Amino acid sequence: EIVARCLLADQPRSSASETIAALSKLGLQMELLSGDAKEAVQEIAAQVGIENFRGEATPDEKKSRILQLKSANRKVAMMGDGVNDAPALAAADVGISLATGTDLANQASDISLLEGDIKRTLAAFRLSRQVVSNIRQNLLLGLLYNLLALPIAAGLLYPWTGWLLSPMLAAAAMAASSLSVVANALRLRYQK
C-alpha cells in the first residue's frame, strides 16, 4: 500500500511555451526526450505544448532516436544542456546547447545559446533560413551576370547587332557581380 508519493520536476523556462509555438509555426516538429521520470516529462510536455515525449530516456536511447529520425531522411536539431545529452547533440544534424549547460554539451553542439535563453533558438532558425535564402540569391546574381556578360563578351550578338563587350567593360561587369554578391550578403547584418 502506497502511503505517500512525491514527484519532483523541473519547471519549464519562462519562454519555453512561446518559443515552441513559434518554432512549430515555422514547420518544425517538436519531441521531448528526457531522462527524468515519465510523469514529470508528461507534465512538462503538457505545459509547453509538446505532444511527442519520452521520459526515462538514457543517453543511448536519445542518440538512437536522433539516428532513427535521420535514417528516415529527416533533418534533426537537438537541444540539450547536460552531459547525458552530448551523444545526441553530436549525432544530430544541428546540436544546440545552452551556454549555461555543461562543457561537454557545449563542445558536442554546433550552436551554443548565450545566457541559456531558449528563445534564441528561434532567432538561430530564422537566421539560418535567411542565410540559405541569401546564398541562393547570390548564386542567381552571379549566374545572371555570367549568362549575360560572357556571351556578349564572346561576340555572340555581334553578327546581328554589332555589339562587342570590351575587356574593360567585361572586367567591370565581373567586379560589379562580386560587389552585388557581397552587398547582398551584407544585408544579413540588418536582419532582425
Side-chain angles (χ1 to χ4, degrees), residues 117-168:
D117 185 1
I118 66 168
K119 193 182 256 186
R120 292 177 187 251
T121 307
L122 184 59
F125 274 97
R126 285 182 176 153
L127 180 60
S128 68
R129 287 185 174 180
Q130 290 168 348
V131 167
V132 169
S133 174
N134 193 277
I135 290 168
R136 289 182 179 138
Q137 292 166 7
N138 286 342
L139 287 172
L140 182 62
L141 279 171
L143 183 65
L144 285 175
Y145 271 101
N146 288 321
L147 282 176
L148 294 175
L150 287 177
I152 294 171
L156 184 68
L157 299 178
Y158 184 75
W160 300 282
T161 64
W163 291 356
L164 276 178
L165 193 59
S166 75
M168 281 187 4

Side-chain angles (χ1 to χ4, degrees), residues 35-51:
D36 294 343
K38 291 177 184 177
E39 295 86 359
V41 174
Q42 182 177 8
E43 178 66 26
I44 295 292
Q47 288 178 30
V48 299
I50 295 178
E51 294 178 12

